[in-house]
Structure formats: structure tokens, C-alpha cells
Amino acid sequence: MNWKTISSEPLFSHPPYFIARKDVCERPDGVLIPEYYVVELPESVITFGLTTENEVLVTEQYRHPVAQVSIEFPGGFIDDGEEPLQAAKRETEEETGYVFKEYTYLGKVAGNPGILNNFTHLFLATGGKKEEQTKLDAQEDIRVQLISLDALKQLITNRKIIQSLHLNAAFYALQHMEHELGESNNGSV
């Protein structure tokens, strides 16, 4: 089922945020796809953080493309030469000031593989404490909050978390905690 790329034409470039291109592809059955548009993005990370008090670390920030404040988890792009775990730690510390004792890799997901070429790596971080000041980028305006696991589940149930990649992070983190940590938390997940 894999397609062969015959040619690729750059259309617009604004690294590190995105590069747009037009590919000409051929399917295995010989059918030519004359225009397939792809947006290249760096890989990214999202950290579902659980503090030493068993509270979930969430952020709120305005997302201009959808003109809404979005409830999310710390995350961002992976820098050149950086491993996903390093990026998860860096982004979490920069955006929230929290440092975590343990990080568990939950896997990677593709946000929109029909047009985007990147993956987002998901982490569960536990044992977090506020130890640093935030180091936000110039365009970032982030509010940090701690909420209970029950409050998080209510936000999900009420469809208050609009960013699908962050919902993936919550799903895999909660699933991991239920299956891997359920006994040590006495079923409190």
C-alpha cells in the first residue's frame, strides 16, 4: 500500500514551524496522484504530569487559529539534535517550572497524517514539584494549574479539552496508570 514519491516541490518554508510542499505520487496499482500537499512539522512532545500530591499539571493558553483558550498539558517541538525525553523535560520545566522524578514513554501519535508529516511523543511524568521559574517564549502566555484526576476526567467528559493530541496524552496516561499503577494507588486512578 505504500506510495512512491515521484517528485516533491517546496511551496513555502518557515522553519522551524512548517514547510509546505506538493508531491507527485504513484500508488502501487500505478495510479498517479498529481498533487498531494504535505505540511512538514518538527516532531513534538506532550507531558502528562502528576505531582507528588497526585495532582495533574495542566496549562491554559490562547490558541489563535481556533480563537479559544485551550486546556492542555506541557509540550512543544523537539529541537534539532534533541531526544524526545530531553524535549519533554525541557518543555515541562520551561512552561511550568515543574521538575519530575520519573518519565514513562507512552508512545507516539500522528496528529493528522493526511496532511502533516510529524509525530508527537507522549510521556507520563510522576513525582513532580515546582522547582524552577517559567521560561516562556515571547509569544507564550501560559497559565499553570493543578487539578485532581477526577476534575481532569470531568473536563474530558464535558469536552473542555479541545486539542486532540492532548486528549491522546490523557488517554494513554490514564490507561497506563490504571493498568500499571492501579495497585500501588489502591485503585485511585
Side-chain angles (χ1 to χ4, degrees), residues 98-188:
Y98 276 77
V99 176
F100 289 84
K101 288 183 182 177
E102 186 175 334
Y103 278 75
T104 302
Y105 186 66
L106 300 172
K108 65 182 183 178
V109 293
N112 185 356
I115 192 167
L116 303 176
N117 77 330
N118 72 326
F119 286 93
T120 298
H121 299 267
L122 309 175
F123 290 89
L124 167 63
T126 54
K129 285 187 175 181
K130 174 90 170 166
E131 294 185 9
E132 308 275 334
Q133 292 298 317
T134 59
K135 299 176 189 112
L136 301 178
D137 294 337
Q139 75 277 10
E140 289 180 315
D141 181 18
I142 297 174
R143 185 177 315 139
V144 178
Q145 293 185 25
L146 297 174
I147 63 172
S148 68
L149 284 164
D150 285 340
L152 173 72
K153 291 174 184 177
Q154 197 62 46
L155 288 171
I156 293 169
T157 299
N158 293 334
R159 291 162 179 71
K160 298 295 184 185
I161 298 178
I162 61 170
Q163 217 288 15
S164 61
L165 292 170
H166 292 259
L167 284 169
N168 275 285
F171 173 79
Y172 288 115
L174 292 170
Q175 183 182 54
H176 176 81
M177 290 188 297
E178 182 178 312
H179 291 100
E180 300 296 323
L181 306 175
E183 291 178 23
S184 64
N185 285 339
N186 297 320
S188 65

Coordinates of all heavy atoms in Angstrom, one line a residue, residues 98-188:
Y98 N 7.9 23.0 36.8 CA 7.9 21.8 37.5 C 9.0 20.8 37.0 O 9.2 20.7 35.8 CB 6.5 21.1 37.3 CG 5.5 21.6 38.3 CD1 4.9 22.9 38.1 CD2 5.2 20.9 39.5 CE1 4.0 23.4 39.0 CE2 4.3 21.4 40.4 CZ 3.7 22.6 40.2 OH 2.8 23.1 41.1
V99 N 9.6 20.1 37.9 CA 10.5 19.1 37.6 C 10.0 17.7 38.2 O 9.4 17.7 39.3 CB 11.9 19.4 38.3 CG1 12.9 18.3 38.1 CG2 12.4 20.7 37.8
F100 N 10.1 16.7 37.4 CA 9.5 15.4 37.7 C 10.6 14.3 37.9 O 11.6 14.4 37.3 CB 8.6 14.9 36.6 CG 7.3 15.7 36.6 CD1 7.2 16.9 35.9 CD2 6.2 15.3 37.2 CE1 6.1 17.7 35.9 CE2 5.0 16.0 37.2 CZ 5.0 17.3 36.6
K101 N 10.3 13.4 38.9 CA 11.3 12.4 39.2 C 11.4 11.3 38.1 O 12.5 10.8 37.8 CB 10.9 11.7 40.5 CG 11.2 12.6 41.7 CD 10.9 11.9 43.0 CE 11.1 12.8 44.2 NZ 10.7 12.1 45.5
E102 N 10.3 10.9 37.5 CA 10.2 9.8 36.6 C 9.4 10.1 35.4 O 8.3 10.7 35.5 CB 9.7 8.6 37.3 CG 9.8 7.3 36.5 CD 9.3 6.1 37.2 OE1 9.4 6.1 38.5 OE2 8.8 5.1 36.6
Y103 N 9.9 9.7 34.2 CA 9.2 9.9 33.0 C 9.0 8.5 32.4 O 9.9 7.7 32.3 CB 10.0 10.7 32.0 CG 9.8 12.2 32.2 CD1 10.5 12.9 33.2 CD2 9.0 13.0 31.3 CE1 10.3 14.3 33.4 CE2 8.9 14.4 31.5 CZ 9.5 15.0 32.6 OH 9.4 16.3 32.8
T104 N 7.8 8.2 31.9 CA 7.5 7.0 31.2 C 7.0 7.3 29.8 O 6.1 8.1 29.6 CB 6.3 6.2 32.0 OG1 6.8 6.0 33.3 CG2 6.0 4.9 31.3
Y105 N 7.6 6.7 28.8 CA 7.3 6.9 27.4 C 6.0 6.1 27.2 O 5.9 4.9 27.4 CB 8.4 6.4 26.5 CG 8.2 6.7 25.1 CD1 8.1 8.0 24.6 CD2 8.0 5.7 24.2 CE1 7.9 8.3 23.3 CE2 7.8 6.0 22.8 CZ 7.8 7.3 22.4 OH 7.6 7.6 21.0
L106 N 5.0 6.8 26.6 CA 3.7 6.2 26.3 C 3.5 5.9 24.9 O 2.5 5.3 24.5 CB 2.6 7.2 26.8 CG 2.6 7.5 28.3 CD1 1.5 8.6 28.6 CD2 2.3 6.3 29.1
G107 N 4.4 6.3 24.0 CA 4.3 6.1 22.6 C 4.2 7.4 21.8 O 4.4 8.5 22.3
K108 N 3.9 7.2 20.5 CA 3.8 8.4 19.6 C 2.5 8.3 18.8 O 2.1 7.2 18.5 CB 5.1 8.5 18.7 CG 5.3 7.4 17.7 CD 6.5 7.7 16.9 CE 6.7 6.6 15.9 NZ 7.9 6.8 15.0
V109 N 2.0 9.4 18.5 CA 0.8 9.5 17.6 C 1.0 10.6 16.6 O 1.8 11.5 16.7 CB -0.5 9.9 18.5 CG1 -0.8 8.8 19.5 CG2 -0.3 11.2 19.2
A110 N 0.2 10.4 15.5 CA 0.3 11.4 14.4 C -1.0 12.2 14.5 O -2.1 11.7 14.4 CB 0.3 10.6 13.0
G111 N -0.9 13.5 14.6 CA -2.0 14.4 14.7 C -2.9 14.4 13.6 O -4.2 14.5 13.7
N112 N -2.4 14.4 12.3 CA -3.2 14.5 11.1 C -2.4 13.9 10.0 O -1.9 14.7 9.2 CB -3.7 15.9 10.8 CG -4.7 15.9 9.7 OD1 -4.9 14.9 9.0 ND2 -5.2 17.1 9.4
P113 N -2.2 12.6 9.9 CA -1.3 12.0 8.9 C -1.8 12.2 7.5 O -1.1 11.8 6.5 CB -1.2 10.6 9.3 CG -2.5 10.3 10.1 CD -2.8 11.6 10.7
G114 N -3.0 12.7 7.3 CA -3.4 13.0 5.9 C -2.8 14.2 5.3 O -2.7 14.4 4.1
I115 N -2.2 15.1 6.1 CA -1.5 16.3 5.6 C -0.2 16.6 6.4 O 0.7 17.2 5.8 CB -2.5 17.5 5.6 CG1 -1.9 18.7 4.8 CG2 -2.8 17.9 7.1 CD1 -2.8 19.8 4.5
L116 N -0.1 16.2 7.7 CA 1.1 16.5 8.5 C 2.0 15.3 8.5 O 1.6 14.2 8.6 CB 0.7 16.9 9.9 CG -0.3 18.1 10.1 CD1 -0.6 18.2 11.5 CD2 0.3 19.4 9.5
N117 N 3.3 15.6 8.5 CA 4.3 14.5 8.4 C 4.9 14.2 9.8 O 5.8 13.3 9.8 CB 5.4 14.8 7.4 CG 6.4 15.8 8.0 OD1 6.1 16.7 8.8 ND2 7.6 15.7 7.5
N118 N 4.5 14.8 10.8 CA 5.2 14.6 12.1 C 4.5 13.7 13.1 O 3.3 13.4 12.9 CB 5.5 16.0 12.8 CG 4.2 16.6 13.3 OD1 3.1 16.5 12.8 ND2 4.4 17.3 14.4
F119 N 5.2 13.3 14.1 CA 4.6 12.5 15.2 C 4.8 13.4 16.5 O 5.7 14.2 16.6 CB 5.4 11.2 15.4 CG 5.0 10.2 14.3 CD1 5.8 10.1 13.2 CD2 3.9 9.4 14.5 CE1 5.5 9.2 12.2 CE2 3.6 8.4 13.5 CZ 4.4 8.3 12.4
T120 N 3.9 13.1 17.5 CA 4.0 13.6 18.8 C 4.3 12.5 19.8 O 3.6 11.5 19.8 CB 2.7 14.4 19.2 OG1 2.6 15.5 18.2 CG2 2.8 15.0 20.6
H121 N 5.4 12.7 20.6 CA 5.8 11.7 21.6 C 5.1 12.0 22.9 O 5.1 13.2 23.3 CB 7.3 11.7 21.7 CG 8.0 11.3 20.4 ND1 8.3 10.0 20.1 CD2 8.4 12.1 19.4 CE1 8.9 10.0 19.0 NE2 8.9 11.2 18.5
L122 N 4.5 11.0 23.5 CA 3.7 11.2 24.7 C 4.4 10.6 25.9 O 4.9 9.5 25.9 CB 2.3 10.6 24.6 CG 1.5 10.9 23.3 CD1 0.3 10.1 23.2 CD2 1.3 12.4 23.3
F123 N 4.4 11.4 27.0 CA 5.1 10.9 28.3 C 4.1 11.1 29.5 O 3.3 12.0 29.5 CB 6.3 11.8 28.5 CG 7.4 11.5 27.6 CD1 7.5 12.2 26.4 CD2 8.4 10.6 27.8 CE1 8.5 12.0 25.5 CE2 9.4 10.3 26.9 CZ 9.5 11.0 25.8
L124 N 4.3 10.2 30.4 CA 3.7 10.3 31.7 C 4.8 10.7 32.7 O 5.8 9.9 32.7 CB 3.0 9.0 32.2 CG 2.6 8.9 33.6 CD1 1.6 10.0 34.0 CD2 2.1 7.5 34.0
A125 N 4.7 11.8 33.4 CA 5.8 12.2 34.3 C 5.1 12.1 35.7 O 4.0 12.6 35.9 CB 6.3 13.6 34.0
T126 N 5.9 11.6 36.7 CA 5.4 11.4 38.1 C 6.4 12.0 39.0 O 7.6 12.1 38.8 CB 5.1 10.0 38.4 OG1 6.2 9.2 38.2 CG2 3.9 9.4 37.6
G127 N 5.8 12.4 40.2 CA 6.7 12.9 41.3 C 7.1 14.3 41.1 O 8.2 14.7 41.4
G128 N 6.2 15.1 40.5 CA 6.6 16.5 40.2 C 6.5 17.5 41.3 O 5.6 17.4 42.1
K129 N 7.4 18.4 41.3 CA 7.4 19.5 42.2 C 7.8 20.8 41.5 O 8.6 20.8 40.6 CB 8.4 19.3 43.4 CG 8.0 18.3 44.4 CD 9.0 18.3 45.5 CE 8.6 17.4 46.6 NZ 9.5 17.3 47.7
K130 N 7.3 21.9 42.0 CA 7.6 23.2 41.4 C 9.0 23.6 42.0 O 9.2 23.8 43.2 CB 6.6 24.3 41.8 CG 6.9 25.7 41.5 CD 6.4 26.0 40.1 CE 6.6 27.5 39.9 NZ 6.4 27.9 38.6
E131 N 10.0 23.7 41.1 CA 11.4 23.9 41.5 C 12.0 25.1 40.7 O 13.1 25.5 41.1 CB 12.2 22.7 41.3 CG 11.8 21.6 42.3 CD 12.7 20.4 42.2 OE1 13.8 20.4 41.5 OE2 12.4 19.3 42.8
E132 N 11.4 25.5 39.6 CA 12.0 26.5 38.7 C 11.0 27.6 38.4 O 9.8 27.4 38.7 CB 12.4 25.8 37.4 CG 13.2 24.6 37.4 CD 14.7 24.9 37.6 OE1 15.1 25.9 37.1 OE2 15.4 24.0 38.1
Q133 N 11.5 28.7 37.9 CA 10.7 29.7 37.3 C 10.4 29.4 35.9 O 11.2 28.7 35.2 CB 11.4 31.1 37.4 CG 11.5 31.6 38.8 CD 10.2 31.9 39.5 OE1 9.3 32.4 38.9 NE2 10.1 31.4 40.8
T134 N 9.2 29.8 35.4 CA 8.9 29.5 34.0 C 9.9 30.3 33.1 O 10.4 31.4 33.5 CB 7.5 29.9 33.6 OG1 7.2 31.2 33.9 CG2 6.5 29.0 34.4
K135 N 10.1 29.8 31.9 CA 11.0 30.4 30.9 C 10.2 30.4 29.6 O 10.5 29.6 28.7 CB 12.3 29.7 30.8 CG 13.1 29.7 32.1 CD 14.4 28.9 31.9 CE 15.0 28.7 33.2 NZ 15.0 27.3 33.7
L136 N 9.2 31.3 29.5 CA 8.3 31.2 28.3 C 8.9 31.9 27.1 O 9.7 32.9 27.3 CB 7.0 31.9 28.7 CG 6.2 31.3 29.8 CD1 4.9 32.1 30.1 CD2 5.8 29.8 29.6
D137 N 8.6 31.4 25.9 CA 8.9 32.1 24.7 C 8.1 33.4 24.6 O 7.1 33.6 25.3 CB 8.6 31.2 23.5 CG 9.4 29.9 23.4 OD1 10.6 29.9 24.0 OD2 9.0 29.0 22.8
A138 N 8.6 34.3 23.8 CA 8.0 35.6 23.7 C 6.5 35.6 23.4 O 5.7 36.4 23.9 CB 8.7 36.5 22.6
Q139 N 6.1 34.6 22.5 CA 4.7 34.6 22.1 C 3.8 33.7 23.1 O 2.6 33.7 22.9 CB 4.5 34.0 20.7 CG 4.8 32.6 20.5 CD 6.2 32.1 20.4 OE1 7.1 32.9 20.6 NE2 6.4 30.9 20.1
E140 N 4.4 33.1 24.1 CA 3.7 32.3 25.0 C 3.1 33.1 26.2 O 3.7 33.9 26.7 CB 4.6 31.2 25.6 CG 4.9 30.1 24.6 CD 5.8 29.0 25.1 OE1 6.8 29.4 25.9 OE2 5.5 27.9 24.9
D141 N 1.8 32.8 26.5 CA 1.1 33.4 27.6 C 0.4 32.2 28.2 O -0.7 31.9 27.8 CB 0.2 34.5 27.2 CG -0.6 35.1 28.3 OD1 -0.1 35.0 29.5 OD2 -1.6 35.7 28.0
I142 N 1.0 31.6 29.2 CA 0.5 30.3 29.7 C 0.2 30.4 31.2 O 0.9 31.0 32.0 CB 1.6 29.2 29.6 CG1 1.9 28.9 28.1 CG2 1.2 27.9 30.3 CD1 3.0 28.0 27.8
R143 N -1.0 29.9 31.6 CA -1.5 29.8 32.9 C -1.3 28.4 33.4 O -1.8 27.5 32.7 CB -2.9 30.3 33.1 CG -3.4 30.3 34.5 CD -4.8 30.9 34.6 NE -5.0 32.0 33.8 CZ -6.1 32.3 33.1 NH1 -7.1 31.4 33.0 NH2 -6.2 33.4 32.3
V144 N -0.7 28.1 34.5 CA -0.4 26.8 35.0 C -1.4 26.5 36.1 O -1.6 27.4 37.0 CB 1.0 26.6 35.5 CG1 1.2 25.2 36.1 CG2 2.0 26.9 34.4
Q145 N -2.0 25.3 36.1 CA -3.0 24.9 37.2 C -2.7 23.5 37.6 O -2.2 22.7 36.8 CB -4.4 25.0 36.7 CG -4.9 26.4 36.4 CD -6.3 26.4 36.0 OE1 -7.1 25.6 36.4 NE2 -6.7 27.5 35.3
L146 N -3.1 23.2 38.8 CA -3.1 21.8 39.3 C -4.5 21.4 39.5 O -5.3 22.1 40.2 CB -2.3 21.7 40.6 CG -0.8 22.0 40.5 CD1 -0.2 22.0 41.9 CD2 -0.1 21.1 39.6
I147 N -4.9 20.2 39.0 CA -6.3 19.8 39.2 C -6.2 18.3 39.6 O -5.3 17.6 39.3 CB -7.1 20.0 37.9 CG1 -6.6 19.2 36.7 CG2 -7.2 21.4 37.5 CD1 -7.4 19.2 35.5
S148 N -7.3 17.8 40.2 CA -7.4 16.4 40.6 C -7.6 15.6 39.3 O -8.1 16.0 38.3 CB -8.6 16.2 41.6 OG -9.8 16.5 40.9
L149 N -7.4 14.3 39.5 CA -7.7 13.3 38.4 C -9.2 13.3 38.1 O -9.6 13.3 36.9 CB -7.2 11.9 38.8 CG -5.7 11.7 38.7 CD1 -5.3 10.4 39.4 CD2 -5.3 11.6 37.2
D150 N -10.0 13.4 39.1 CA -11.5 13.5 38.9 C -11.8 14.7 38.1 O -12.7 14.7 37.2 CB -12.2 13.4 40.2 CG -12.2 12.1 40.8 OD1 -12.0 11.1 40.1 OD2 -12.5 12.0 42.0
A151 N -11.2 15.9 38.4 CA -11.5 17.1 37.7 C -11.1 17.0 36.2 O -11.8 17.4 35.3 CB -10.8 18.3 38.3
L152 N -9.9 16.3 36.0 CA -9.5 16.1 34.6 C -10.5 15.3 33.9 O -10.9 15.6 32.7 CB -8.1 15.5 34.6 CG -7.6 15.0 33.2 CD1 -7.3 16.2 32.4 CD2 -6.5 14.1 33.3
K153 N -10.9 14.2 34.5 CA -11.9 13.3 33.8 C -13.2 14.0 33.5 O -13.8 13.8 32.5 CB -12.1 12.1 34.7 CG -10.9 11.1 34.8 CD -11.2 10.0 35.7 CE -10.0 9.1 35.9 NZ -10.1 8.1 36.9
Q154 N -13.6 15.0 34.4 CA -14.8 15.8 34.1 C -14.6 16.7 32.9 O -15.5 16.9 32.1 CB -15.1 16.6 35.4 CG -16.6 17.1 35.4 CD -17.6 15.9 35.3 OE1 -17.5 15.0 36.0 NE2 -18.6 16.1 34.5
L155 N -13.4 17.3 32.9 CA -13.1 18.2 31.7 C -13.1 17.4 30.4 O -13.7 17.9 29.4 CB -11.6 18.8 31.8 CG -11.5 19.8 32.9 CD1 -10.0 20.2 33.0 CD2 -12.3 21.1 32.5
I156 N -12.6 16.1 30.4 CA -12.7 15.3 29.2 C -14.1 14.9 28.9 O -14.6 15.1 27.8 CB -11.8 14.0 29.4 CG1 -10.3 14.4 29.5 CG2 -12.1 13.0 28.3 CD1 -9.4 13.3 30.0
T157 N -14.9 14.5 29.9 CA -16.3 14.1 29.7 C -17.1 15.3 29.1 O -17.9 15.1 28.3 CB -16.9 13.6 31.0 OG1 -16.2 12.5 31.5 CG2 -18.4 13.3 30.9
N158 N -16.8 16.5 29.6 CA -17.6 17.7 29.2 C -17.0 18.3 27.9 O -17.4 19.4 27.6 CB -17.6 18.7 30.3 CG -18.5 18.2 31.5 OD1 -19.4 17.4 31.3 ND2 -18.2 18.7 32.7
R159 N -16.0 17.6 27.3 CA -15.4 18.1 26.1 C -14.8 19.5 26.2 O -14.9 20.3 25.3 CB -16.4 18.0 24.9 CG -16.7 16.5 24.6 CD -17.9 16.4 23.8 NE -18.2 15.0 23.4 CZ -18.6 14.0 24.3 NH1 -18.7 14.3 25.5 NH2 -18.9 12.8 23.9
K160 N -14.1 19.7 27.3 CA -13.5 21.0 27.6 C -12.0 21.0 27.1 O -11.4 22.1 27.0 CB -13.5 21.4 29.0 CG -14.9 21.5 29.6 CD -15.6 22.7 28.9 CE -17.0 22.9 29.5 NZ -17.8 24.0 28.8
I161 N -11.5 19.8 26.8 CA -10.1 19.8 26.3 C -10.3 19.6 24.7 O -10.7 18.6 24.3 CB -9.3 18.6 26.9 CG1 -9.2 18.8 28.4 CG2 -8.0 18.5 26.2 CD1 -8.4 17.8 29.1
I162 N -9.9 20.6 24.0 CA -10.2 20.7 22.6 C -9.0 20.2 21.7 O -9.2 19.8 20.5 CB -10.6 22.1 22.1 CG1 -9.5 23.1 22.3 CG2 -11.9 22.5 22.8 CD1 -9.7 24.4 21.7
Q163 N -7.9 20.1 22.3 CA -6.7 19.7 21.5 C -6.6 18.2 21.5 O -6.3 17.5 22.5 CB -5.4 20.4 22.1 CG -4.4 20.8 21.2 CD -3.6 19.7 20.5 OE1 -3.9 18.6 20.5 NE2 -2.5 20.1 19.9
S164 N -6.7 17.6 20.3 CA -6.8 16.1 20.2 C -5.6 15.4 20.6 O -5.6 14.3 21.2 CB -7.2 15.7 18.8 OG -6.2 16.2 17.9
L165 N -4.4 16.0 20.4 CA -3.2 15.3 20.8 C -3.1 15.3 22.3 O -2.5 14.3 22.9 CB -1.9 16.0 20.2 CG -1.8 15.9 18.7 CD1 -0.7 16.8 18.2 CD2 -1.5 14.5 18.3
H166 N -3.6 16.3 23.0 CA -3.6 16.3 24.4 C -4.6 15.3 25.0 O -4.3 14.7 26.1 CB -3.8 17.7 24.9 CG -2.6 18.6 24.6 ND1 -1.6 18.9 25.5 CD2 -2.2 19.2 23.4 CE1 -0.7 19.7 24.9 NE2 -1.1 19.8 23.7
L167 N -5.7 15.1 24.3 CA -6.6 14.0 24.7 C -6.0 12.7 24.6 O -6.2 11.8 25.4 CB -7.9 14.1 23.9 CG -8.8 15.2 24.2 CD1 -9.9 15.4 23.2 CD2 -9.5 14.9 25.6
N168 N -5.1 12.5 23.5 CA -4.4 11.2 23.4 C -3.5 11.0 24.6 O -3.4 9.9 25.1 CB -3.6 11.2 22.1 CG -4.4 10.8 20.9 OD1 -4.6 9.6 20.7 ND2 -4.8 11.7 20.0
A169 N -2.8 12.1 25.0 CA -1.8 12.0 26.1 C -2.6 11.6 27.4 O -2.2 10.8 28.1 CB -1.1 13.3 26.3
A170 N -3.8 12.2 27.6 CA -4.6 11.9 28.8 C -5.0 10.4 28.7 O -4.9 9.7 29.7 CB -5.8 12.8 28.9
F171 N -5.5 10.0 27.5 CA -6.0 8.7 27.4 C -4.9 7.6 27.7 O -5.1 6.7 28.5 CB -6.5 8.4 26.0 CG -6.8 7.0 25.7 CD1 -8.0 6.4 26.1 CD2 -5.9 6.2 25.0 CE1 -8.4 5.1 25.9 CE2 -6.2 4.8 24.8 CZ -7.5 4.3 25.2
Y172 N -3.7 7.8 27.1 CA -2.7 6.8 27.3 C -2.1 6.9 28.7 O -1.7 5.9 29.3 CB -1.6 7.0 26.3 CG -2.0 6.5 24.9 CD1 -2.1 7.3 23.8 CD2 -2.3 5.1 24.7 CE1 -2.6 6.9 22.6 CE2 -2.8 4.7 23.5 CZ -2.9 5.5 22.4 OH -3.3 5.0 21.2
A173 N -2.0 8.1 29.3 CA -1.5 8.3 30.7 C -2.5 7.6 31.7 O -2.1 6.8 32.6 CB -1.3 9.7 31.0
L174 N -3.8 7.9 31.5 CA -4.8 7.3 32.4 C -4.8 5.8 32.3 O -4.9 5.0 33.2 CB -6.2 7.9 32.2 CG -6.3 9.4 32.6 CD1 -7.6 10.0 32.1 CD2 -6.2 9.6 34.1
Q175 N -4.7 5.3 31.0 CA -4.7 3.9 30.8 C -3.5 3.2 31.4 O -3.6 2.2 32.1 CB -4.7 3.6 29.3 CG -4.7 2.1 28.9 CD -4.7 1.9 27.4 OE1 -3.7 2.4 26.8 NE2 -5.6 1.2 26.9
H176 N -2.3 3.9 31.3 CA -1.1 3.4 31.9 C -1.2 3.3 33.4 O -0.9 2.3 34.0 CB 0.1 4.2 31.5 CG 1.4 3.8 32.1 ND1 2.1 2.7 31.7 CD2 2.0 4.2 33.3 CE1 3.2 2.6 32.5 NE2 3.1 3.5 33.4
M177 N -1.7 4.4 34.0 CA -1.9 4.4 35.5 C -2.9 3.4 35.9 O -2.6 2.8 37.0 CB -2.3 5.8 35.9 CG -1.2 6.9 35.7 SD -1.6 8.5 36.5 CE -3.0 9.0 35.5
E178 N -3.9 3.2 35.2 CA -4.9 2.2 35.6 C -4.3 0.8 35.6 O -4.5 0.0 36.5 CB -6.1 2.2 34.7 CG -7.2 1.3 35.0 CD -8.4 1.4 34.1 OE1 -8.8 2.5 33.9 OE2 -8.9 0.4 33.6
H179 N -3.6 0.5 34.5 CA -3.0 -0.9 34.3 C -1.7 -1.1 35.1 O -1.5 -2.2 35.6 CB -2.8 -1.2 32.9 CG -4.1 -1.4 32.1 ND1 -4.6 -0.4 31.4 CD2 -5.0 -2.4 32.1 CE1 -5.8 -0.8 30.9 NE2 -6.0 -2.0 31.3
E180 N -0.8 -0.1 35.1 CA 0.5 -0.3 35.7 C 0.6 0.2 37.2 O 1.3 -0.4 37.9 CB 1.5 0.5 34.9 CG 1.6 0.0 33.4 CD 2.1 -1.4 33.3 OE1 2.9 -1.9 34.1 OE2 1.6 -2.1 32.4
L181 N -0.2 1.2 37.5 CA 0.0 1.8 38.8 C -1.3 1.6 39.7 O -1.3 2.0 40.8 CB 0.3 3.3 38.7 CG 1.5 3.7 37.8 CD1 1.5 5.2 37.7 CD2 2.7 3.1 38.4
G182 N -2.3 1.0 39.1 CA -3.6 0.9 39.8 C -3.4 0.2 41.2 O -4.0 0.7 42.2
E183 N -2.6 -0.8 41.3 CA -2.5 -1.5 42.6 C -1.7 -0.6 43.6 O -2.1 -0.5 44.7 CB -1.7 -2.8 42.4 CG -2.6 -3.8 41.6 CD -1.8 -5.1 41.4 OE1 -0.8 -5.4 42.1 OE2 -2.2 -5.8 40.5
S184 N -0.7 0.1 43.1 CA 0.1 0.9 44.1 C -0.7 2.2 44.5 O -0.4 2.7 45.5 CB 1.4 1.3 43.4 OG 1.2 2.1 42.3
N185 N -1.7 2.6 43.7 CA -2.5 3.7 44.0 C -3.8 3.3 44.7 O -4.7 4.1 44.9 CB -2.9 4.6 42.8 CG -1.7 5.4 42.3 OD1 -0.8 5.6 43.1 ND2 -1.7 5.8 41.1
N186 N -3.9 2.0 45.0 CA -5.1 1.4 45.6 C -6.4 1.8 44.8 O -7.4 2.1 45.3 CB -5.3 2.0 47.0 CG -4.2 1.5 47.9 OD1 -3.7 0.3 47.8 ND2 -3.7 2.4 48.8
G187 N -6.2 1.7 43.5 CA -7.4 1.9 42.6 C -7.8 3.4 42.5 O -8.9 3.6 42.0
S188 N -7.0 4.3 42.9 CA -7.5 5.7 42.9 C -7.4 6.4 41.5 O -7.6 7.6 41.4 CB -6.7 6.5 43.9 OG -5.3 6.6 43.6

